[in-house]
Amino acid sequence: MDVAGKSSGAKYEYLLFGMIQRQRAYIFIPRGTSIKRVLSILKFHFEFLMNCENDSFKRFDNRFPNMFLTDLDDTLYPMSSGLNSACRKNIEEYMLQHLDIDESEVPRICLELYREHGTTMAGLKALGHEFDGDEFHAYVHGRLPYDALKPDLVLRNLLLSMPQRKIIFTNADKAHAAEVLSRLCLEDCFEGIICFETLNPPHPQPVDFITAPDDCTGNNLNSKSPILCKPSVEAIEAAIRIANVDPQKTLFFDDSARNIASGKAAGLHTVIVGSSELVPGADYVLRSIHNIREAIPEIWEGEEGQQLEQFIQSTAVETVVLA
C-alpha cells in the first residue's frame, strides 16, 4: 500500500493510506498530531485494512455464481432470426435426399426423433442410419441464413462486464458455433466451446476446444444413444467435468425446458431464456438474454464496486473518531 500525505486545508490533515481493490482508503488526523501518534495510527489501520482486503478477495473468489455456461442457438439470439426453422428444413431435406426416408414421413420422424433423443441426428443414429456426421452438419448448417445475425454490442458489453468464466455448451458442431459467435461479434467473450465434437470425439481424447481433463472423453460415457447430447443428464455432467466447474456455483442458460430440467438434475443453477414464465427446474426466467442484469444482479455482486466503496467511506468516518 502506498502512503501519501495531503492537506485538507481545514482542521484535519488526511493520508491517502492505500488502495483496496482500486478504491481509495483515507485516514483523517487532527493537525499537530505527533509523529509517534501518526505512526501508531498507521500501524493500526494498515493491519485493519489488510484484513479487510484479504476478506474481500475471499468473498470475490467464493462468489456465486463463478461460472456462466450457456447454450448458443435461440439463447444468445432470438428464435425470430429464422435460423431454427431453416435448420429444420435442411434436416428434413437431408433425410429425404440422403437417407431415402419417405417424404410424407420425414416431418413426423424428424420431430419425434428430436423429442426422444435431443437432436434428430442422434435419433437417426440410434435407428441405425449410417452417415458421416461432418457431412450432415455441413449440409444442415452450411446453408443457414447467417446474414440474419447482426453484431449484438449490447450483449457483448454485458458479457465483457461479467467477472465469471464463460463457456458455450451447444449440441451443434464447432464450425456452426464459431460462425454464430462471429456474426454476433461475441467470439472473444467466451473462453471455450463445448460442442458436438467435444462430447463425441472421433479420437480417444476429447477435441481440444477448451482445456479438458485427460480422462474425460465422450466415448467413455454410457448413453442409450450413440450420440451424447443435451438433454441427456450424462451429456450435461460430461460438460461439467470438461469445463471443470462446480455446478453449485454455475449458472446454466438454455432456451429448452428439457435441457433446463436436466441441468437442474445435474446440480446446476438454471435460467430459462426466451420465456415469460418459469418452467420445471428453472431458477430464473429471462424473456431475452439482454434482461440478464435486471433478472440476476448476483452476477455482478462480486465486483469491486458500490458496496466496497461505501464500506471504505464508513471506515474513514470511524477513523476521525478514533483519531
Side-chain angles (χ1 to χ4, degrees):
M1 291 185 176
D2 297 327
V3 180
K6 295 182 180 292
S7 173
S8 65
K11 64 182 293 187
Y12 292 104
E13 292 183 340
Y14 64 88
L15 300 175
L16 173 57
F17 185 66
M19 307 288 284
I20 299 181
Q21 296 184 222
R22 297 198 296 272
Q23 301 290 331
R24 293 183 177 87
Y26 294 102
I27 298 176
F28 293 82
I29 300 174
R31 289 183 181 278
T33 302
S34 67
I35 295 296
K36 182 177 180 180
R37 174 63 173 158
V38 169
L39 292 176
S40 176
I41 293 172
L42 285 177
K43 180 178 183 295
F44 173 82
H45 285 87
F46 178 81
E47 295 173 350
F48 176 76
L49 292 177
M50 282 298 293
N51 288 332
C52 291
E53 187 172 40
N54 291 336
D55 289 342
S56 177
F57 278 118
K58 287 178 183 178
R59 289 195 297 271
F60 187 78
D61 290 339
N62 293 324
R63 66 181 180 269
F64 166 76
N66 62 17
M67 178 65 190
F68 183 100
L69 186 66
T70 179
D71 181 44
L72 178 68
D73 297 302
D74 301 328
T75 298
L76 295 187
Y77 64 86
M79 186 177 291
S80 59
S81 67
L83 264 67
N84 184 293
S85 58
C87 185
R88 175 173 295 187
K89 179 176 179 292
N90 291 344
I91 292 174
E92 292 180 353
E93 288 184 3
Y94 184 91
M95 293 169 63
L96 178 63
Q97 297 181 18
H98 294 269
L99 302 180
D100 297 326
I101 298 177
D102 186 86
E103 182 175 4
S104 63
E105 292 293 307
V106 164
R108 178 186 62 81
I109 294 176
C110 180
L111 183 58
E112 287 181 356
L113 293 180
Y114 169 78
R115 288 175 174 172
E116 183 175 352
H117 297 275
T119 68
T120 303
M121 179 183 183
L124 291 169
K125 288 286 188 179
L127 289 179
H129 290 282
E130 295 183 2
F131 55 91
D132 183 81
D134 291 338
E135 291 180 359
F136 178 88
H137 285 132
Y139 189 97
V140 169
H141 293 147
R143 302 181 299 161
L144 290 178
Y146 289 114
D147 288 343
L149 300 179
K150 306 300 180 184
D152 191 339
L153 300 184
V154 173
L155 180 55
R156 175 181 175 81
N157 288 334
L158 279 171
L159 291 171
L160 291 178
S161 74
M162 297 176 186
Q164 292 82 6
R165 295 175 60 204
K166 293 173 280 289
I167 291 178
I168 295 290
F169 178 25
T170 176
N171 282 338
D173 61 299
K174 180 190 177 186
H176 170 73
E179 182 67 26
V180 169
L181 290 176
S182 176
R183 296 279 182 162
L184 295 174
C185 199
L186 304 177
E187 62 268 41
D188 58 342
C189 295
F190 297 90
E191 72 174 65
I193 301 171
I194 298 175
C195 57
F196 175 84
E197 293 94 333
T198 316
L199 296 183
N200 303 277
H203 307 294
Q205 298 299 329
V207 181
D208 190 20
F209 298 148
I210 64 172
T211 302
D214 292 337
D215 61 349
C216 184
T217 65
N219 287 339
N220 292 334
L221 294 168
N222 178 29
S223 178
K224 296 179 180 180
S225 170
I227 289 179
L228 194 63
C229 63
K230 296 180 289 184
S232 165
V233 175
E234 294 169 296
I236 296 175
E237 289 175 341
I240 291 171
R241 289 194 293 270
I242 291 172
N244 191 27
V245 300
D246 179 354
Q248 289 301 313
K249 295 183 180 180
T250 300
L251 277 174
F252 173 53
F253 295 74
D254 207 295
D255 65 291
S256 165
R258 296 185 305 167
N259 295 347
I260 289 296
S262 296
K264 176 55 65 176
L268 296 165
H269 295 272
T270 54
V271 185
I272 183 71
V273 181
S275 175
S276 59
E277 57 185 31
L278 288 171
V279 298
D283 297 305
Y284 304 91
V285 58
L286 297 179
R287 186 179 295 274
S288 165
I289 193 68
H290 295 103
N291 303 133
I292 187 171
R293 184 182 284 274
E294 294 80 12
I296 319 176
E298 300 96 298
I299 290 176
W300 287 268
E301 283 184 358
E303 290 182 300
E304 311 146 12
Q306 185 71 24
Q307 293 179 347
L308 182 59
E309 183 177 0
Q310 292 174 351
F311 172 76
I312 294 172
Q313 290 175 348
S314 66
T315 301
V317 172
E318 291 177 358
T319 61
V320 175
V321 177
L322 290 172

